[in-house]
Structures are given as structure tokens and as C-alpha cells.
Amino acid sequence: MRWTVHGERTLYDSDWVRLTLVDVELPSGERYEHHVVRIPRPAAATVIRRDGEVLLLHRHRLATDTWGWEVPAGRADPGESPEEAATREAVEETGWRPRDLRRLGAFHPMPGLVEQTFHVFVSDGADHIGAPSDQDEAERVEWLPEDSVREMLRDGSVSDGYSLVALHWALDR
């Protein structure tokens, strides 16, 4: 039961996001325009662990006007692999370079509306290379005990989708 696409038109386009209207026909024969947000570059997140702790950022998010704990993450630069993006973002946001990244998987955060692929990695160790190079990313960066992180997953202190998926995959496998 695949939807048929008859065409697409762009409403807005930038380096970060494209909003389109897709002319679709459902298997039932109903036809309408469906909004699709296209995010052209993949993104990556890294769960960095060491000695029973996880490295997290505490930050504000403009779109939801919320504060929360997150794993380091961001979109890939042109020509950059998801693994390279995961390492670069971790260094920029935390000042720690993850060691020996292992891929946990990939997911689509909102496949009914948003075209985006998010890759998740885990590292059991990191090397401190200095202060975060991107000072606007987080209020603070901390190593937190895994048991505390599990509690934060339950109490809502971690509420963004990629951090929820990444932490559950890393801590439950």
C-alpha cells in the first residue's frame, strides 16, 4: 500500500531545510497535497561513556523554549560521513574526542512529515582536548553517572528525540 507521488513543489528552501508540498495519491484513490520537511544532510549523535558515566550537555532549545540534557549531536558537513560528523560535533560541543566509535543504528525522527536520517554512535572512552570550541552550544558539559542518566530518561530531564533514542540504545544494549 504505497502512496503515489504525482509531483512536488518547494515552498521554502535554505541550506538547513526545505519545505515542500507533495501531490500524493493514497491507495484508496484520495489525492491531496502533503507537507514534507526535507533536511538534506544526515545528522549524527554520540553517546560517550567512561567508567560508568555518560557525557551530556545541558542546553536551551529555542524552538520549544525548553532546557534539557542532550548527547552531543549535529548535522554532517558536505562530504563528511556520519561517523566523522559524530566525532567533530562531540569535540566542538564538549571538548572531548570520542575513541573507537561504534555504530548503534540509524532512525528517522518523524517519517510521516520529515525526511531526515539520524545516525547514532557510542564510544567507550574519550580524550579531553580542551574547552568546547562552540561556546553557544551548552550551558554546561558534565560526566553523569549512568544510573542518574537512566533516572533522567524516566523523569523527562532528557526530552529530545535523538538523545532519548541514543541513550536508550547505548544503555540498554
Side-chain angles (χ1 to χ4, degrees), residues 15-17 39-44 73-77 80 85 88-89 116:
D15 289 340
W16 284 85
V17 64
I39 300 175
R41 291 192 237 160
R75 72 181 184 156
D77 285 341
E80 189 176 48
R88 179 185 48 74
E89 288 288 340
Q116 181 185 32

Side-chain angles (χ1 to χ4, degrees), residues 4 10 19 24 26 62-63 65 69 111 115 117-118 122 130 148-149 152 158 164 166-167:
T4 302
T10 299
L19 175 60
V24 296
L26 303 179
L62 173 72
D65 192 21
W69 290 96
E115 174 193 54
T117 303
F118 223 100
V122 65
S148 296
V149 174
M152 291 162 55
V158 177
L164 287 167
L167 288 166

Side-chain angles (χ1 to χ4, degrees), residues 21-100:
L21 279 176
V22 180
D23 178 7
V24 296
E25 183 177 340
L26 303 179
S28 66
E30 180 184 354
R31 190 168 168 175
Y32 68 97
E33 288 189 308
H34 182 71
H35 285 87
V36 176
V37 177
R38 300 197 184 281
I39 300 175
R41 291 192 237 160
T46 307
V47 177
I48 302 172
R49 303 166 73 175
R50 80 166 182 203
D51 302 324
E53 296 179 315
V54 177
L55 186 62
L56 295 178
L57 302 96
H58 191 255
R59 65 170 303 165
H60 179 261
R61 286 296 184 174
L62 173 72
T64 55
D65 192 21
T66 56
W67 286 89
W69 290 96
E70 300 181 9
V71 298
R75 72 181 184 156
D77 285 341
E80 189 176 48
S81 71
E83 184 174 27
E84 291 166 335
T87 298
R88 179 185 48 74
E89 288 288 340
V91 170
E92 288 175 3
E93 295 179 0
T94 70
W96 290 83
R97 180 180 304 283
R99 288 188 216 134
D100 303 319

Side-chain angles (χ1 to χ4, degrees), residues 113-128:
L113 182 64
V114 178
E115 174 193 54
Q116 181 185 32
T117 303
F118 223 100
H119 300 269
V120 178
F121 298 90
V122 65
S123 169
D124 291 318
D127 299 308
H128 188 252

